[in-house]
């Protein structure tokens, strides 16, 4: 039977979280690696907004938001062996949602400005970093209470957020390594050094160049 098609870009944090959801649910997809500067026509026909990730299901339906792809893979909890969706704990589910909202709707825009401070000369790089640090400090507080953001087990919040913190850390690695966020440093290192992260970061040739797609997942 044919598999759903996932258009993905290796370094995109939204595509990373989609691949993490797929891998951790034990689902498989046929992965087409793309370049943002050269998006395939069939991807744009399916999702004209032109962002990755995009998932096309066998019945032709399209899922083009990373969190929805995670939700689809995890089967709204039916395909969730690690209980990432926290279905037994509505309070933690709400906390996860709030944290991911903060990441996507606030932190991400400071991260982009910090990363590309030269394109946003209204303020300094340090200013943008300090704005982003407000979210990092919130994570630091949570990670002082348990190993992962909401408990000692990783949940959707950890997997949806750490790819963005990776980018934040990568802007100035020397600064990040000595910044007063030991718990965030530990948590990030634990995710980046995990076999799961290595699996989702495997390199594939781009689909447009090679015409090859790859089975990704279990
Ligand atoms: N809300 C979307 C955002 C996805 C997104 O913005 N992805 C970036 C790459 S990291 C993208 O495709 N940008 C389009 C471009 O750069 O042309 C999601 O969660 O899937």
């Amino acid at each position: 039977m044919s598999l759903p098609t996932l258009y993905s870009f290796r370094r995109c944090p939204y595509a990373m979280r989609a691949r993490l959801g797929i891998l951790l649910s034990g689902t498989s997809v046929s992965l087409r690696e793309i370049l943002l500067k050269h998006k395939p026509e069939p991807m744009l026909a399916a999702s004209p907004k032109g962002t990755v990730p995009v998932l096309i299901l066998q019945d032709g339906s399209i899922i083009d938001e990373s969190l929805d792809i995670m939700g689809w893979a995890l089967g709204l909890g039916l395909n969730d062996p690690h209980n990432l969706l926290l279905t037994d704990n509505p309070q933690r589910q709400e906390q996860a949602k709030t944290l991911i909202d903060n990441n996507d709707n606030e932190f991400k825009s400071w991260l982009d400005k910090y990363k590309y401070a030269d394109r946003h000369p209204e303020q300094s790089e340090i200013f943008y970093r300090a704005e982003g640090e407000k979210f990092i400090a919130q994570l630091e507080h949570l990670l002082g209470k348990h190993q992962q953001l909401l408990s000692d087990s990783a949940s959707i919040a950890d997997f949806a957020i750490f790819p963005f913190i990776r980018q934040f850390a990568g802007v100035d690695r020397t600064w990040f390594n000595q910044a007063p966020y030991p718990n965030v440093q530990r948590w990030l290192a634990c995710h980046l050094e995990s076999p799961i992260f290595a699996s989702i970061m495997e390199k594939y040739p781009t689909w447009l160049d090679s015409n090859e797609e790859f089975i990704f997942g279990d």
Side-chain angles (χ1 to χ4, degrees):
M1 202 178 84
S2 73
L3 294 171
T5 299
L6 180 73
Y7 288 96
S8 181
F9 174 54
R10 182 172 175 273
R11 296 204 323 269
C12 164
Y14 297 100
M16 283 181 202
R17 66 155 68 133
R19 297 198 302 276
L20 285 163
I22 290 167
L23 193 67
L24 290 162
S25 65
T27 314
S28 298
V29 297
S30 185
L31 185 143
R32 295 180 179 179
E33 179 69 16
I34 73 142
L35 292 178
L36 292 174
K37 57 177 187 277
H38 190 193
K39 294 171 189 158
E41 276 309 320
M43 179 186 122
L44 292 171
S47 177
K49 73 185 170 95
T51 61
V52 282
V54 176
L55 184 72
I56 306 180
L57 301 182
Q58 289 99 326
D59 67 2
S61 43
I62 314 293
I63 309 181
D64 62 4
E65 282 294 319
S66 55
L67 288 175
D68 295 339
I69 295 175
M70 293 184 96
W72 166 83
L74 296 164
L76 303 174
L78 298 174
N79 208 17
D80 186 4
H82 306 284
N83 191 26
L84 300 191
L85 293 179
L86 307 160
T87 38
D88 53 345
N89 195 328
Q91 196 190 340
R92 278 201 197 134
Q93 268 183 331
E94 208 42 51
Q95 289 173 324
K97 188 176 171 316
T98 305
L99 274 182
I100 297 170
D101 278 355
N102 288 350
N103 178 81
D104 289 16
N105 300 321
E106 203 168 327
F107 174 71
K108 173 68 165 78
S109 65
W110 294 121
L111 166 63
D112 287 346
K113 290 189 170 128
Y114 173 39
K115 249 171 84 180
Y116 303 112
D118 51 337
R119 297 183 203 166
H120 301 277
E122 317 80 79
Q123 298 287 351
S124 68
E125 180 184 303
I126 306 294
F127 174 89
Y128 295 130
R129 185 173 75 195
E131 289 297 325
E133 280 182 76
K134 292 178 185 167
F135 186 58
I136 304 289
Q138 196 186 341
L139 303 187
E140 177 68 16
H141 175 70
L142 292 171
L143 291 165
K145 297 199 272 189
H146 14 71
Q147 293 295 309
Q148 302 291 329
L149 289 173
L150 301 179
S151 74
D152 285 337
S153 305
S155 74
I156 188 161
D158 301 274
F159 291 109
I161 291 173
F162 89 74
F164 296 84
I165 308 305
R166 171 182 178 270
Q167 280 199 343
F168 187 84
V171 177
D172 182 345
R173 173 71 55 189
T174 310
W175 172 81
F176 182 79
N177 287 345
Q178 58 74 58
Y181 307 113
N183 292 306
V184 175
Q185 287 151 357
R186 164 196 52 79
W187 167 81
L188 184 62
C190 136
H191 285 285
L192 298 185
E193 287 160 15
S194 76
I196 293 160
F197 188 66
S199 299
I200 69 139
M201 292 306 278
E202 207 175 308
K203 287 187 176 156
Y204 300 102
T206 54
W207 177 66
L208 274 183
D209 292 333
S210 65
N211 219 7
E212 278 185 274
E213 33 192 26
F214 299 89
I215 295 182
F216 172 83
D218 252 6

